[in-house]
mmCIF file with all atom_site columns, all heavy atoms in Angstrom:
data_model
loop_
_atom_site.group_PDB
_atom_site.id
_atom_site.type_symbol
_atom_site.label_atom_id
_atom_site.label_alt_id
_atom_site.label_comp_id
_atom_site.label_asym_id
_atom_site.label_entity_id
_atom_site.label_seq_id
_atom_site.pdbx_PDB_ins_code
_atom_site.Cartn_x
_atom_site.Cartn_y
_atom_site.Cartn_z
_atom_site.occupancy
_atom_site.B_iso_or_equiv
_atom_site.pdbx_formal_charge
_atom_site.auth_seq_id
_atom_site.auth_comp_id
_atom_site.auth_asym_id
_atom_site.auth_atom_id
_atom_site.pdbx_PDB_model_num
ATOM 1  N N   . ASP A 1 322 ? 72.629 80.369 119.533 1.00 0.00 ? 322 ASP A N   1
ATOM 2  C CA  . ASP A 1 322 ? 71.482 79.538 119.196 1.00 0.00 ? 322 ASP A CA  1
ATOM 3  C C   . ASP A 1 322 ? 71.849 78.476 118.092 1.00 0.00 ? 322 ASP A C   1
ATOM 4  O O   . ASP A 1 322 ? 70.965 77.802 117.678 1.00 0.00 ? 322 ASP A O   1
ATOM 5  C CB  . ASP A 1 322 ? 70.307 80.299 118.696 1.00 0.00 ? 322 ASP A CB  1
ATOM 6  C CG  . ASP A 1 322 ? 70.564 81.226 117.435 1.00 0.00 ? 322 ASP A CG  1
ATOM 7  O OD1 . ASP A 1 322 ? 71.763 81.030 116.923 1.00 0.00 ? 322 ASP A OD1 1
ATOM 8  O OD2 . ASP A 1 322 ? 69.743 82.017 117.030 1.00 0.00 ? 322 ASP A OD2 1
ATOM 9  N N   . GLY A 1 323 ? 73.054 78.406 117.714 1.00 0.00 ? 323 GLY A N   1
ATOM 10 C CA  . GLY A 1 323 ? 73.532 77.418 116.767 1.00 0.00 ? 323 GLY A CA  1
ATOM 11 C C   . GLY A 1 323 ? 73.446 77.809 115.212 1.00 0.00 ? 323 GLY A C   1
ATOM 12 O O   . GLY A 1 323 ? 73.895 77.061 114.326 1.00 0.00 ? 323 GLY A O   1
ATOM 13 N N   . LYS A 1 324 ? 72.828 79.034 115.079 1.00 0.00 ? 324 LYS A N   1
ATOM 14 C CA  . LYS A 1 324 ? 72.655 79.552 113.638 1.00 0.00 ? 324 LYS A CA  1
ATOM 15 C C   . LYS A 1 324 ? 73.962 80.167 113.228 1.00 0.00 ? 324 LYS A C   1
ATOM 16 O O   . LYS A 1 324 ? 74.764 80.697 113.975 1.00 0.00 ? 324 LYS A O   1
ATOM 17 C CB  . LYS A 1 324 ? 71.544 80.583 113.623 1.00 0.00 ? 324 LYS A CB  1
ATOM 18 C CG  . LYS A 1 324 ? 70.237 79.868 113.883 1.00 0.00 ? 324 LYS A CG  1
ATOM 19 C CD  . LYS A 1 324 ? 69.064 81.035 113.823 1.00 0.00 ? 324 LYS A CD  1
ATOM 20 C CE  . LYS A 1 324 ? 67.783 80.552 113.999 1.00 0.00 ? 324 LYS A CE  1
ATOM 21 N NZ  . LYS A 1 324 ? 66.655 81.544 114.084 1.00 0.00 ? 324 LYS A NZ  1
ATOM 22 N N   . PRO A 1 325 ? 74.294 80.174 111.918 1.00 0.00 ? 325 PRO A N   1
ATOM 23 C CA  . PRO A 1 325 ? 75.552 80.706 111.413 1.00 0.00 ? 325 PRO A CA  1
ATOM 24 C C   . PRO A 1 325 ? 75.532 82.271 111.659 1.00 0.00 ? 325 PRO A C   1
ATOM 25 O O   . PRO A 1 325 ? 74.413 82.759 111.548 1.00 0.00 ? 325 PRO A O   1
ATOM 26 C CB  . PRO A 1 325 ? 75.499 80.438 109.947 1.00 0.00 ? 325 PRO A CB  1
ATOM 27 C CG  . PRO A 1 325 ? 74.095 80.070 109.554 1.00 0.00 ? 325 PRO A CG  1
ATOM 28 C CD  . PRO A 1 325 ? 73.478 79.451 110.890 1.00 0.00 ? 325 PRO A CD  1
ATOM 29 N N   . VAL A 1 326 ? 76.710 82.794 111.808 1.00 0.00 ? 326 VAL A N   1
ATOM 30 C CA  . VAL A 1 326 ? 76.831 84.174 112.079 1.00 0.00 ? 326 VAL A CA  1
ATOM 31 C C   . VAL A 1 326 ? 76.537 85.018 110.791 1.00 0.00 ? 326 VAL A C   1
ATOM 32 O O   . VAL A 1 326 ? 76.840 84.422 109.696 1.00 0.00 ? 326 VAL A O   1
ATOM 33 C CB  . VAL A 1 326 ? 78.205 84.655 112.585 1.00 0.00 ? 326 VAL A CB  1
ATOM 34 C CG1 . VAL A 1 326 ? 78.432 83.973 114.005 1.00 0.00 ? 326 VAL A CG1 1
ATOM 35 C CG2 . VAL A 1 326 ? 79.377 84.079 111.621 1.00 0.00 ? 326 VAL A CG2 1
ATOM 36 N N   . ARG A 1 327 ? 76.030 86.149 110.919 1.00 0.00 ? 327 ARG A N   1
ATOM 37 C CA  . ARG A 1 327 ? 75.894 87.169 109.820 1.00 0.00 ? 327 ARG A CA  1
ATOM 38 C C   . ARG A 1 327 ? 77.081 88.113 109.713 1.00 0.00 ? 327 ARG A C   1
ATOM 39 O O   . ARG A 1 327 ? 77.580 88.307 108.698 1.00 0.00 ? 327 ARG A O   1
ATOM 40 C CB  . ARG A 1 327 ? 74.519 87.776 109.745 1.00 0.00 ? 327 ARG A CB  1
ATOM 41 C CG  . ARG A 1 327 ? 74.342 88.777 108.585 1.00 0.00 ? 327 ARG A CG  1
ATOM 42 C CD  . ARG A 1 327 ? 73.017 89.505 108.727 1.00 0.00 ? 327 ARG A CD  1
ATOM 43 N NE  . ARG A 1 327 ? 72.834 90.465 107.497 1.00 0.00 ? 327 ARG A NE  1
ATOM 44 C CZ  . ARG A 1 327 ? 73.327 91.691 107.464 1.00 0.00 ? 327 ARG A CZ  1
ATOM 45 N NH1 . ARG A 1 327 ? 73.998 92.206 108.504 1.00 0.00 ? 327 ARG A NH1 1
ATOM 46 N NH2 . ARG A 1 327 ? 73.250 92.482 106.330 1.00 0.00 ? 327 ARG A NH2 1
ATOM 47 N N   . THR A 1 328 ? 77.078 88.889 110.884 1.00 0.00 ? 328 THR A N   1
ATOM 48 C CA  . THR A 1 328 ? 78.085 89.938 110.947 1.00 0.00 ? 328 THR A CA  1
ATOM 49 C C   . THR A 1 328 ? 79.162 89.649 111.888 1.00 0.00 ? 328 THR A C   1
ATOM 50 O O   . THR A 1 328 ? 79.015 89.241 113.080 1.00 0.00 ? 328 THR A O   1
ATOM 51 C CB  . THR A 1 328 ? 77.369 91.236 111.456 1.00 0.00 ? 328 THR A CB  1
ATOM 52 O OG1 . THR A 1 328 ? 76.137 91.468 110.572 1.00 0.00 ? 328 THR A OG1 1
ATOM 53 C CG2 . THR A 1 328 ? 78.302 92.452 111.345 1.00 0.00 ? 328 THR A CG2 1
ATOM 54 N N   . VAL A 1 329 ? 80.386 89.635 111.147 1.00 0.00 ? 329 VAL A N   1
ATOM 55 C CA  . VAL A 1 329 ? 81.699 89.470 112.107 1.00 0.00 ? 329 VAL A CA  1
ATOM 56 C C   . VAL A 1 329 ? 82.455 90.718 112.032 1.00 0.00 ? 329 VAL A C   1
ATOM 57 O O   . VAL A 1 329 ? 82.639 91.330 111.003 1.00 0.00 ? 329 VAL A O   1
ATOM 58 C CB  . VAL A 1 329 ? 82.534 88.319 111.387 1.00 0.00 ? 329 VAL A CB  1
ATOM 59 C CG1 . VAL A 1 329 ? 83.826 88.088 112.198 1.00 0.00 ? 329 VAL A CG1 1
ATOM 60 C CG2 . VAL A 1 329 ? 81.632 87.030 111.343 1.00 0.00 ? 329 VAL A CG2 1
ATOM 61 N N   . VAL A 1 330 ? 82.917 91.138 113.212 1.00 0.00 ? 330 VAL A N   1
ATOM 62 C CA  . VAL A 1 330 ? 83.802 92.269 113.293 1.00 0.00 ? 330 VAL A CA  1
ATOM 63 C C   . VAL A 1 330 ? 85.103 91.707 113.709 1.00 0.00 ? 330 VAL A C   1
ATOM 64 O O   . VAL A 1 330 ? 85.324 90.967 114.555 1.00 0.00 ? 330 VAL A O   1
ATOM 65 C CB  . VAL A 1 330 ? 83.236 93.182 114.414 1.00 0.00 ? 330 VAL A CB  1
ATOM 66 C CG1 . VAL A 1 330 ? 84.285 94.298 114.760 1.00 0.00 ? 330 VAL A CG1 1
ATOM 67 C CG2 . VAL A 1 330 ? 81.929 93.822 114.001 1.00 0.00 ? 330 VAL A CG2 1
ATOM 68 N N   . THR A 1 331 ? 86.187 92.218 112.987 1.00 0.00 ? 331 THR A N   1
ATOM 69 C CA  . THR A 1 331 ? 87.560 91.995 113.267 1.00 0.00 ? 331 THR A CA  1
ATOM 70 C C   . THR A 1 331 ? 88.357 93.273 113.490 1.00 0.00 ? 331 THR A C   1
ATOM 71 O O   . THR A 1 331 ? 88.204 94.143 112.730 1.00 0.00 ? 331 THR A O   1
ATOM 72 C CB  . THR A 1 331 ? 88.147 91.145 112.162 1.00 0.00 ? 331 THR A CB  1
ATOM 73 O OG1 . THR A 1 331 ? 87.348 89.919 111.912 1.00 0.00 ? 331 THR A OG1 1
ATOM 74 C CG2 . THR A 1 331 ? 89.647 90.800 112.464 1.00 0.00 ? 331 THR A CG2 1
ATOM 75 N N   . THR A 1 332 ? 89.029 93.194 114.599 1.00 0.00 ? 332 THR A N   1
ATOM 76 C CA  . THR A 1 332 ? 89.904 94.383 114.964 1.00 0.00 ? 332 THR A CA  1
ATOM 77 C C   . THR A 1 332 ? 91.225 94.005 115.427 1.00 0.00 ? 332 THR A C   1
ATOM 78 O O   . THR A 1 332 ? 91.640 92.847 115.384 1.00 0.00 ? 332 THR A O   1
ATOM 79 C CB  . THR A 1 332 ? 89.195 95.182 116.056 1.00 0.00 ? 332 THR A CB  1
ATOM 80 O OG1 . THR A 1 332 ? 89.832 96.469 116.310 1.00 0.00 ? 332 THR A OG1 1
ATOM 81 C CG2 . THR A 1 332 ? 89.106 94.426 117.340 1.00 0.00 ? 332 THR A CG2 1
ATOM 82 N N   . GLY A 1 333 ? 92.016 94.923 115.769 1.00 0.00 ? 333 GLY A N   1
ATOM 83 C CA  . GLY A 1 333 ? 93.477 94.671 116.249 1.00 0.00 ? 333 GLY A CA  1
ATOM 84 C C   . GLY A 1 333 ? 94.159 95.972 116.366 1.00 0.00 ? 333 GLY A C   1
ATOM 85 O O   . GLY A 1 333 ? 93.738 97.037 115.911 1.00 0.00 ? 333 GLY A O   1
#
Side-chain angles (χ1 to χ4, degrees):
D322 59 5
K324 296 180 180 179
V326 296
R327 177 188 184 268
T328 305
V329 175
V330 170
T331 299
T332 187

